Amino acid sequence: MINQIVVVGSGVMGRGIAYVGALGGYTVTLVDVNDEALKKAEDEIESIFEKGLSRQKLTIQQVDESKKNLFYSTNLSQAVSGADLVIEAVPEKEEIKKQVFETLEEHAPERCFFATNTSTMSPTEIASYANRPEKTIAMHFFNPVHKMPLVEIIRGLETSDETAKIIKEVAEKMGKETVVINEFPGFVTSRISALVGNEAFYMLQEGLGSPEDIDKAIKLGLNYPMGPFELVDLVGLDVRLNNLGYLHKKLGEKYRPAPLLEQYVKAGRLGRKTGKGIYDYTTTEKEMMKK
């Protein structure tokens, strides 16, 4: 039933979703309004393919077939006109998502399913921006998409059983494990991750230890693959602050953002994407240490 997938937003998550979609055998069009961002995404996807080849995780045939399945566009209306599934991966801002879904509703065919790659926001609310709530669901991919095995699938209030079944099959064809849950702010993973990450900022603020020692304690003591500061630098401190703000509003005081996190964001220290977050990535030595 699903052959043509459109991914809206060519940031870190969007490009990753486009990559695993094409690798899974789907015809994928990655859409962004910004030409420069789209070209950067194309280069990054090419790099992932090359690394997969060099590490013998992919064959030349897989890479060639996947690349033939990938297209890039700055015209959202045109791109979605033949889509079977649209996965929205734009920033976690209500006004941006609303604008995207209104465009999708106008130009996507009636058969098309809508998915949002949100980590905290309500798929029921997002579904209200269009007129097919039974065909709307959340697909929460994890960063980096091509390495992380899980897709958290979240049903909205009116999401149909058929939609949940089809989206689960799509994620599995992309090579992912899935969990299907009902909507509640933060879902499963974001609620836990936000609490751990925020508490780490409070520890740092209190002078409990250095970022390196806190990360090391969490990794070795609790068997986490990454420390909370390594993770927030990868995800983006602004993204974490935005998520905490939403969860604080919906779920109460335990999600109030640590003042130190707010200071880092105000200072423009947003993580790897800006070269400096908790750690400094502007020097070769630090970059090599954090890889």
Side-chain angles (χ1 to χ4, degrees), residues 62-234:
Q62 281 179 302
V63 171
D64 288 345
E65 289 178 357
S66 298
K67 287 182 179 180
K68 288 177 185 176
N69 290 337
L70 264 173
F71 300 88
Y72 301 87
S73 175
T74 55
N75 190 327
L76 177 59
S77 303
Q78 185 179 73
V80 302
S81 63
D84 299 313
L85 168 64
V86 179
I87 303 174
E88 165 271 309
V90 302
E92 298 276 68
K93 301 287 186 181
E94 180 181 344
E95 63 274 14
I96 300 176
K97 291 187 186 291
K98 187 172 189 293
Q99 184 178 9
V100 168
F101 273 82
E102 286 174 347
T103 302
L104 298 183
E105 181 60 38
E106 183 178 355
H107 296 282
E110 288 186 15
R111 69 174 186 275
C112 187
F113 295 87
F114 293 165
T116 174
N117 177 51
T118 183
S119 58
T120 54
M121 294 179 69
S122 161
T124 299
E125 181 178 354
I126 292 171
S128 73
Y129 306 150
N131 294 314
R132 56 187 87 184
E134 74 287 349
K135 289 180 174 287
T136 304
I137 201 164
M139 294 180 78
H140 179 202
F141 290 82
F142 295 81
N143 187 19
V145 177
H146 66 289
K147 292 183 179 179
M148 298 295 282
L150 181 67
V151 174
E152 197 175 26
I153 298 171
I154 304 97
R155 300 177 59 140
L157 180 64
E158 297 181 68
T159 303
S160 70
D161 291 342
E162 179 195 23
T163 298
K165 179 177 180 291
I166 288 170
I167 297 305
K168 186 176 188 294
E169 290 171 353
V170 168
E172 289 171 350
K173 191 175 176 184
M174 290 178 176
K176 302 301 181 184
E177 296 285 342
T178 63
V179 292
V180 181
I181 60 174
N182 295 317
E183 176 188 331
F184 204 80
F187 318 139
V188 175
T189 56
S190 292
R191 286 176 67 174
I192 297 297
S193 181
L195 280 174
V196 172
N198 202 37
E199 187 62 25
F201 270 98
Y202 277 114
M203 291 177 182
L204 187 61
Q205 181 177 297
E206 294 158 2
L208 182 67
S210 69
E212 290 85 355
D213 282 341
I214 293 171
D215 273 349
K216 185 176 182 179
I218 295 298
K219 286 192 292 185
L220 300 184
L222 300 180
N223 203 28
Y224 278 37
M226 297 180 73
F229 295 124
E230 291 174 315
L231 179 60
V232 77
D233 272 357
L234 179 64

Side-chain angles (χ1 to χ4, degrees), residues 254-273:
K254 64 183 176 181
Y255 289 100
R256 179 181 292 277
L260 185 61
L261 170 58
E262 294 178 326
Q263 286 182 326
Y264 272 73
V265 172
K266 287 176 182 176
R269 295 179 60 163
L270 307 183
R272 284 180 176 268
K273 60 187 174 184

